[in-house]
Amino acid sequence: MTAVNGKGSAISLPISIRNVTKTYGTFTALDNVSLEIASGEFITLLGPSGSGKTTLLMVLAGFIRPASGEVRFGDRDVSLLPPHKRDVGMVFQNYALFPHMTVAGNVGYPLRLRGVAKSEIADRVQKVLALVQLGELGTRNIDQLSGGQRQRVALARAIVFEPRILLMDEPLSALDKKLREQMQIEVRHLHQRLGMTTVYVTHDQREALTMSDRVAVIDKGRFHQIGSPRDVYERPESRFIAEFIGESHLVAVSMRGGTAHYRDRPLQLAEPPRHPSGQQFLVMRPEKLKLLTGGEDGLNVFEGTAREIVYQGESTLLYVDLPDDVEVAIRQPATSVGPALPAPGTPVRLGLPAGDTMLVPAERAP
Ligand code: ATP
C-alpha cells in the first residue's frame, strides 16, 4: 500500500532492521533482531513489560544507537543519523505537548522548525486538525482539552509534516477503555488514508490485533513470532505466544508413535504439530470449547468437574477442573439458547472441535 500526499508523491518508505543488538552493561535489551517492514505497512511491536519494544522504537527514531546492526529507511542507511535528520513522525506516551501554546501552535511547530511559510502553515495545520476531528479547536489551550483530544493533537503534530514513517509508543495507554477503542479505529482509518509506514508499540494484545497489518511479538529482546493478527492468534508457534495472546489454558499431551494423546486417548488435530520434538501442549481457548450434552462427532472430549461460574455481562465463563490439577475455562455467549451451565461440583464433558485443536511446543524451534 503506497499512499500519495497532496503534492502527488509517494509518502511511505520501507524499513529494514538488520541484526540489531543493544546492550546495557551486561544486559542484552535487543538480541540480534531483524525485521523487514513494507512500505505503508502498519506493524505493531507487542510484548510484555521490559521485552525491548521501546528500545527498538528508540533505535528507529535515532535516540538509541545499537551496539551492532543496521537500520535502513528505503535504500538509505540511517543507523548513524541523529533523530532530527530522520524525518519520522513520533507519538510517544511522554512526548509532551507544549502547554503554553494553543492547539494550532503545537501542531504547526514541526512546520516552523522546517522553515515553512506562515500562510502555508496555517493552511496545513487546519487540514490536519480536520483530519483528526479537531477542526474547531485550533485556538484552544492544551489544558482546556480532554485526554483523547490531547492524544489527537499529538497525532496531528506527528503527521503534519507528512513523514514517510510514523512511530508510536503506547499512544493510547492513558485513555479509558471506551475512548481507547474509539481512537484505535481512528488511528487505523488515518493510516489507511495517509498510508505512511507505521510502527506501533503496545503491550495490549487486543489493541495489536485490532490495529495491525502484522504483529511482531517480542520478549527478552527477541522476536518470537511475526505474522498477521489472525496468524498469531489462530496459529501460535509456541507456548509463550499462545498464553500471551488471547486467553488460553495449556494442557500437556504425550506424543506416542507420532500421535498426540491426552490421558491415553488419541487426539484429532487440525494439523500435525509444526515443531514436533519436545513437550507439546494443547491450546484450550475458552471460546472454542463446547459444553457437551450428547453427540461428540469430530470433537476431542475432556471430562472434568465444574468449579466456578463467572458472569461477565456479554458472556459467562465456566471454570472446569480436569484431572491432574489442570484447569480450563469455557466461554458461553450471553444468549438464552444452548444448554444451561452446570452447577459447581457437577461433572462436565467438554468438546474441542478437531479443527480448533492445535499443539504448541514449550519453546519455538530455533
Ligand atoms: P514497557 O512495556 O514496560 O515500556 P518495553 O518492552 O518497552 O517495556 P524497554 O523499555 O525497551 O522495554 O526495555 C527493555 C529492557 O531494557 C528492560 O529490561 C529495561 O529494564 C532495560 N533498559 C531500558 N533502558 C535501560 C537503561 N538505560 N539502562 C539499563 N537497562 C535499561
Side-chain angles (χ1 to χ4, degrees):
M1 179 192 2
T2 297
V4 158
N5 69 8
K7 300 181 200 81
S9 59
I11 64 157
S12 62
L13 269 182
I15 300 174
S16 179
I17 300 166
R18 298 182 184 169
N19 305 103
V20 165
T21 292
K22 169 66 192 169
T23 50
Y24 294 107
T26 56
F27 178 75
T28 303
L30 292 175
D31 189 2
N32 195 25
V33 297
S34 296
L35 178 62
E36 296 295 323
I37 305 172
S39 183
E41 188 173 19
F42 192 121
I43 194 157
T44 297
L45 307 178
L46 172 69
S49 178
S51 54
K53 308 180 293 292
T54 297
T55 304
L56 184 53
L57 207 69
M58 290 295 185
V59 166
L60 296 181
F63 292 113
I64 289 178
R65 188 163 293 180
S68 57
E70 185 180 290
V71 174
R72 300 182 82 88
F73 293 167
D75 51 16
R76 198 162 64 124
D77 182 351
V78 298
S79 307
L80 299 177
L81 278 188
H84 66 275
K85 297 225 169 118
R86 295 199 182 192
D87 234 23
V88 298
M90 287 179 241
V91 188
F92 288 170
Q93 208 185 325
N94 50 6
Y95 202 63
L97 297 169
F98 304 117
H100 58 282
M101 282 186 204
T102 60
V103 167
N106 268 278
V107 175
Y109 182 76
L111 298 177
R112 287 201 295 284
L113 268 189
R114 287 168 173 77
V116 177
K118 252 187 173 171
S119 55
E120 191 183 335
I121 291 179
D123 191 43
R124 285 172 67 174
V125 166
Q126 205 42 47
K127 277 198 184 121
V128 82
L129 283 179
L131 208 57
V132 298
Q133 297 171 24
L134 289 178
E136 310 299 309
L137 299 185
T139 55
R140 282 261 189 104
N141 279 331
I142 295 301
D143 59 7
Q144 295 169 318
L145 299 180
S146 71
Q149 289 166 336
R150 284 178 208 203
Q151 290 292 351
R152 276 183 272 175
V153 176
L155 193 58
R157 189 175 64 177
I159 61 177
V160 72
F161 61 98
E162 298 179 354
R164 292 156 178 243
I165 290 170
L166 180 61
L167 307 177
M168 292 193 266
D169 191 354
E170 307 246 7
L172 311 180
S173 61
L175 306 180
D176 64 42
K177 185 168 180 286
K178 210 164 184 176
L179 190 55
R180 197 165 71 230
E181 287 173 357
Q182 193 184 325
M183 286 288 296
Q184 287 167 3
I185 305 291
E186 279 183 30
V187 171
R188 183 85 187 124
H189 286 169
L190 205 63
H191 172 260
Q192 283 161 356
R193 284 180 68 176
L194 300 178
M196 71 282 270
T197 310
T198 302
V199 186
Y200 190 96
V201 161
T202 185
H203 64 269
D204 178 339
Q205 42 97 13
R206 188 179 287 270
E207 186 162 291
L209 298 182
T210 303
M211 301 185 74
S212 324
D213 294 321
R214 276 193 305 161
V215 178
V217 187
I218 185 170
D219 189 38
K220 299 190 176 76
R222 283 169 172 241
F223 288 126
H224 285 241
Q225 188 167 350
I226 302 168
S228 69
R230 192 170 288 277
D231 245 9
V232 293
Y233 187 84
E234 302 283 347
R235 305 181 83 222
E237 285 183 3
S238 67
R239 180 182 184 162
F240 167 72
I241 302 286
E243 288 185 316
F244 186 65
I245 300 183
E247 230 174 307
S248 58
H249 294 257
L250 279 283
V251 176
V253 299
S254 54
M255 298 297 290
R256 270 176 259 156
T259 309
H261 288 72
Y262 170 72
R263 294 175 65 79
D264 291 337
R265 223 183 293 161
L267 290 167
Q268 309 174 61
L269 301 179
E271 56 185 71
R274 279 186 287 173
H275 309 291
S277 60
Q279 174 71 64
Q280 301 286 318
F281 293 89
L282 185 55
V283 182
M284 306 269 251
R285 297 224 189 257
E287 78 277 12
K288 308 273 192 198
L289 283 165
K290 299 185 186 323
L291 204 53
L292 292 184
T293 47
E296 50 192 59
D297 281 356
L299 297 172
N300 293 302
V301 178
F302 303 86
E303 282 159 359
T305 309
R307 182 159 48 76
E308 192 175 358
I309 295 173
V310 180
Y311 177 73
Q312 295 185 327
E314 87 293 349
S315 63
T316 304
L317 267 185
L318 170 69
Y319 287 94
V320 175
D321 289 325
L322 299 183
D324 306 323
D325 281 333
V326 173
E327 176 198 83
V328 295
I330 164 169
R331 187 178 292 287
Q332 293 280 84
T335 91
S336 50
V337 289
L341 289 176
T346 56
V348 183
R349 293 171 74 239
L350 302 176
L352 185 64
D356 293 325
T357 303
M358 54 186 171
L359 298 184
V360 290
E363 292 294 334
R364 187 179 174 215

